[in-house]
């Protein structure tokens, strides 16, 4: 039995055979020839295209909703008679089926790319279908996520894109393990929201052989290869026991001496609302709207957006719902919001509000959809902008909100410059919300996707606490919606720094509520001051916990 170690980023344990997600399907060799029977080769190609079409259709049926239409359209492409005629013609000239498929798709890809715009963006769909047909012909694993494999499997990948993670379901994926990725990467955040145990930054994961039984502990970050039966039973049992949620009064979040702290949920769409309500969310502190549209080639219509926003607003009558406008770019590219050119470093390029300033029509449509969605509901809608760096940007966003009839406009504090000048931003924003994930990434110049830099991403870093303190003292309500808010002890420290609300993945809510309910505001303040005098994250936690009895 081998033991691998990484960072446990989504709690719970999972056991199953490894499904190793492959990277790109290799390009069939140029000039590859078939054995001399064009009719048989053409029939082989035809059958592969039909199998891929049928598989795409079946996936669509299983997924339902928008995915069904998208996958049905892809199946139609795989069955396209003109494409099939081109493949047959190339095979007639002696080209092997794999290469013929590759070249025929290339031809159509060039045509679409040349047209540009919406059709240009569909070129990537063609690549996916092509790779599937080539994989089918070559007998190699399909790219992307597998369909239900009969029993839950452990997904193993070098890295997973948020767009792939969003499609995972705990019924099919027992756990996932990646070689790359950090604890605050969007992939880790989505895994927590979905309840899929996960370990990232796990050295050696990419060389696990397909089908190998794996036991993944998302709390400790340990991955056991070929575990014993006893080991599996003990780890799964321990994880179930840890899941026992503390019994906390259903009262609104507050310290033991009654200082109110709104405890809100981070959500990625209406699908996350039931869990938020079940875990006692008093509203929504971060609605990551870009997660709704990761797979889109075209901007979603106002109607569609309105429906997705209204569903959430009506679930929280009389409560705060904080919607973040599309935060595109870096690891969450939206193909309908492209940056103006190639960016050498997308995380430092046009993302968040910067992208929306390049596409003001998309922002205006989203704000209109939000205003229409809120009309007639009793939820208190707050709208906020991601990646604000200056007061001028915050002011531009507030004006756009006002134009759409939205009365509460805020700014996320995710860039150190914004934290340093939070008072200037507060002068033009109704509220602030600290995104500690990006704030740590930019303050420490440490990519949040890079597993090897996870220590610099530690939200207990005293420098990060200093920046949060600046935002909290800026003069308008200031919450935290980064992953830091979901750590019970750190939640107390953030409250001690002056933060008025904490927003987190729903599963963390009962733990944070219980921690706050056991400590006074004064204890939180003393703990915060102690943490800020420390030099390292470990010392900061230890110093804070000295003043927060009962917290580890
Ligand atoms: C953050 O950066 O802390 C945040 C909440 O936004 P996201 O994680 O979606 O970038
Ligand atoms: Mg962010």
């Amino acid at each position: 039995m081998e033991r691998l170690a990484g960072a446990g980023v989504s709690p719970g344990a999972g056991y199953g055979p490894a499904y190793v997600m492959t990277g790109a399907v290799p390009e069939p060799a140029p000039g590859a020839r078939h054995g001399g029977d064009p009719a048989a080769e053409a029939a082989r190609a035809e059958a592969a295209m039909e199998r891929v079409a049928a598989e795409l259709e079946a996936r669509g049926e299983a997924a339902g909703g928008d995915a069904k239409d998208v996958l049905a359209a892809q199946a139609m492409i795989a069955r396209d008679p003109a494409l099939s005629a081109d493949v047959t013609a190339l095979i007639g000239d002696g080209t092997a089926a794999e290469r013929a498929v590759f070249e025929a798709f290339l031809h159509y890809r060039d045509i679409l790319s040349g047209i540009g715009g919406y059709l240009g963006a569909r070129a990537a769909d063609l690549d996916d279908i092509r790779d599937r047909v080539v994989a089918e012909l070559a007998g190699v694993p399909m790219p992307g996520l597998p369909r239900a494999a009969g029993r839950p499997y452990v997904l193993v990948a070098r890295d997973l894109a948020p767009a792939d993670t969003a499609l995972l379901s705990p019924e099919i994926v027992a756990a996932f393990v990646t070689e790359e990725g950090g604890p605050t990467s969007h992939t880790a955040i989505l895994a927590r929201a979905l309840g899929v145990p996960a370990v990232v930054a796990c050295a050696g994961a990419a060389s696990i052989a397909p089908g190998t039984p794996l036991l993944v502990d998302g709390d400790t970050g340990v991955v056991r290869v070929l575990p014993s039966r006893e080991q599996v039973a003990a780890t799964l049992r321990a994880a179930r026991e840890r899941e026992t949620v503390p019994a906390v009064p259903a009262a609104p979040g507050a310290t033991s001496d009654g200082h109110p702290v709104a405890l809100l949920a981070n959500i990625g769409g209406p699908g996350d609302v039931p869990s938020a309500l079940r875990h006692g969310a008093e509203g929504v502190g971060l609605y990551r709207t870009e997660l709704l549209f990761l797979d889109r080639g075209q901007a979603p219509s106002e109607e569609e957006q309105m429906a997705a926003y209204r569903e959430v607003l009506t679930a929280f009558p009389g409560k705060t719902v904080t919607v973040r406008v599309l935060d595109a770019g870096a690891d969450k590219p939206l193909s309908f919001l492209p940056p103006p050119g190639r960016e050498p470093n997308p995380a430092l390029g046009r993302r968040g509000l910067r992208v929306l300033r390049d596409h003001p029509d998309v922002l205006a449509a989203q704000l209109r959809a939000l205003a229409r969605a809120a009309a007639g509901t009793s939820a208190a809608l707050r709208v906020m902008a991601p990646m604000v760096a200056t007061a001028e940007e915050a002011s531009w966003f507030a004006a756009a909100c006002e134009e759409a009839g939205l009365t509460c406009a805020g700014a996320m504090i995710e860039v150190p410059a914004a934290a340093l000048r939070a008072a200037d931003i507060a002068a033009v924003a109704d509220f602030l919300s600290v995104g500690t994930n990006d704030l740590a990434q930019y303050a420490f110049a440490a990519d949040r996707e890079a597993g090897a830099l996870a220590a610099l991403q530690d939200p207990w870093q005293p420098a990060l606490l200093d920046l949060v303190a600046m935002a909290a003292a800026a003069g308008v309500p200031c919450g935290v919606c980064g992953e830091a808010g979901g750590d019970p002890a750190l939640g107390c420290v953030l409250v001690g720094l002056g933060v008025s609300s904490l927003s987190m993945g729903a599963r963390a809510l009962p733990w944070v509520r219980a921690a706050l309910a056991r400590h006074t505001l004064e204890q939180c303040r003393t703990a915060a001051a102690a943490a800020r005098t420390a030099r390292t994250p470990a010392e900061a936690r230890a110093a804070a916990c000295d003043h927060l009895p009962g917290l580890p």
Side-chain angles (χ1 to χ4, degrees):
M1 185 181 69
E2 195 191 343
R3 180 183 185 278
L4 303 177
V9 293
S10 181
Y15 170 69
Y19 179 90
V20 182
M21 202 163 137
T22 48
V25 174
E27 176 183 335
R33 316 281 295 166
H34 61 72
D37 182 351
E41 191 71 350
R44 197 166 78 84
E46 195 66 38
M49 302 215 306
E50 177 49 39
R51 277 197 298 275
V52 166
E55 134 93 343
L56 288 166
E57 258 172 4
R59 269 178 181 246
E61 289 294 336
D66 290 343
K68 183 173 168 186
D69 297 339
V70 172
L71 292 172
Q74 293 204 331
M76 267 174 73
I77 296 175
R79 290 198 180 107
D80 187 84
L83 195 63
S84 164
D86 285 1
V87 171
T88 307
L90 285 160
I91 290 175
D93 293 341
T95 307
E98 290 85 343
R99 185 69 201 178
V101 165
F102 186 85
E103 288 180 12
F105 272 85
L106 198 61
H107 173 64
Y108 286 98
R109 182 187 210 291
D110 288 347
I111 295 175
L112 284 189
S113 302
I115 297 170
Y118 172 69
L119 286 174
R122 307 265 52 83
D125 292 357
L126 276 190
D127 291 349
D128 183 53
I129 304 164
R130 176 201 66 201
D131 286 349
R132 288 176 178 281
V133 179
V134 170
E136 183 74 37
L137 283 166
V140 299
M142 285 284 163
L145 295 172
R147 225 149 60 84
R151 67 185 175 119
Y153 55 81
V154 173
L155 186 66
V156 178
R158 176 158 295 284
D159 205 357
L160 272 177
D164 287 330
T165 316
L167 295 175
L168 302 181
S169 111
E171 287 83 55
I172 301 175
V173 179
F176 77 74
V177 183
T178 63
E179 182 123 359
E180 301 289 337
T184 58
S185 63
H186 285 101
T187 295
I189 293 169
L190 284 172
R192 282 193 282 277
L194 291 164
V196 177
V199 172
V200 301
C202 183
S207 36
I208 292 171
T212 313
L214 295 180
L215 175 62
V216 180
D217 188 332
D219 290 275
T220 60
V222 171
V223 177
R224 290 184 192 277
V225 181
L226 290 168
S228 67
R229 209 182 272 201
E230 296 71 41
Q231 194 100 51
V232 173
T235 304
L236 295 181
R237 192 174 50 245
R240 267 196 306 275
E241 282 166 13
R242 281 197 300 264
E243 259 174 29
T244 317
V245 170
V248 221
T255 56
S256 60
D257 54 337
H259 173 73
V261 181
L263 296 180
L264 311 170
N266 289 352
I267 64 167
D272 292 336
V273 167
S275 169
L277 292 172
R278 221 175 30 251
H279 290 91
E282 295 161 41
V284 172
L286 170 62
Y287 184 171
R288 292 183 164 102
T289 56
E290 65 282 355
L291 298 185
L292 297 168
F293 309 118
L294 285 175
D295 57 347
R296 296 303 173 80
Q298 208 178 17
S301 71
E302 220 174 288
E303 295 301 317
E304 180 186 2
Q305 292 195 63
M306 197 182 79
Y309 305 149
R310 175 158 295 171
E311 209 175 325
V312 172
L313 288 159
T314 50
F316 290 95
K319 306 275 177 54
T320 298
V321 173
T322 315
V323 179
R324 176 172 75 187
V325 293
L326 298 168
D327 183 15
D331 66 323
K332 290 179 296 186
L334 294 177
S335 48
F336 60 90
L337 282 176
R342 205 190 78 79
E343 296 192 308
N345 189 343
L348 296 180
R350 295 196 186 230
R351 57 165 294 201
L353 186 60
R354 301 168 187 179
V355 177
L356 293 172
R357 290 189 86 168
D358 290 337
H359 298 271
D361 48 327
V362 173
L363 176 64
Q366 183 172 27
L367 296 178
R368 275 197 308 275
L370 281 164
R372 287 172 62 199
T377 76
S378 65
L381 171 63
R382 308 195 305 172
V383 184
M384 66 183 181
M387 281 291 289
V388 172
T390 66
E392 186 275 325
E393 290 176 355
S395 169
W396 181 88
F397 178 70
C401 289
E402 198 179 326
E403 166 112 23
L406 295 164
T407 51
C408 189
M412 288 191 74
I413 302 295
E414 308 187 276
V415 177
L420 290 165
R421 301 306 293 240
D424 293 348
I425 293 177
V428 294
D430 296 308
F431 66 97
L432 304 179
S433 183
V434 184
T436 46
N437 311 330
D438 276 317
L439 190 55
Q441 157 163 268
Y442 296 121
F444 292 92
D447 188 339
R448 62 195 271 197
E449 305 298 314
L453 303 179
L456 289 171
Q457 280 283 339
D458 191 324
W460 283 94
Q461 285 280 6
L464 185 68
L465 301 179
D466 287 350
L467 291 169
V468 176
M470 285 178 160
V476 291
C478 174
V480 166
C481 65
E483 294 302 289
D487 172 331
L490 188 48
C492 293
V493 165
L494 295 170
V495 168
L497 292 176
V499 154
S500 54
S501 63
L502 296 171
S503 192
M504 62 204 79
R507 286 155 200 270
L509 282 162
W511 303 93
V512 174
R513 189 183 298 278
L516 283 174
R518 287 210 305 268
H519 301 98
T520 63
L521 177 59
E522 198 44 43
Q523 280 176 310
C524 294
R525 286 187 176 143
T526 314
R532 287 182 70 191
T533 58
R535 299 254 171 114
T536 68
E539 281 172 26
R541 178 185 272 277
C545 289
D546 281 349
H547 302 279
L548 299 169
L551 288 178

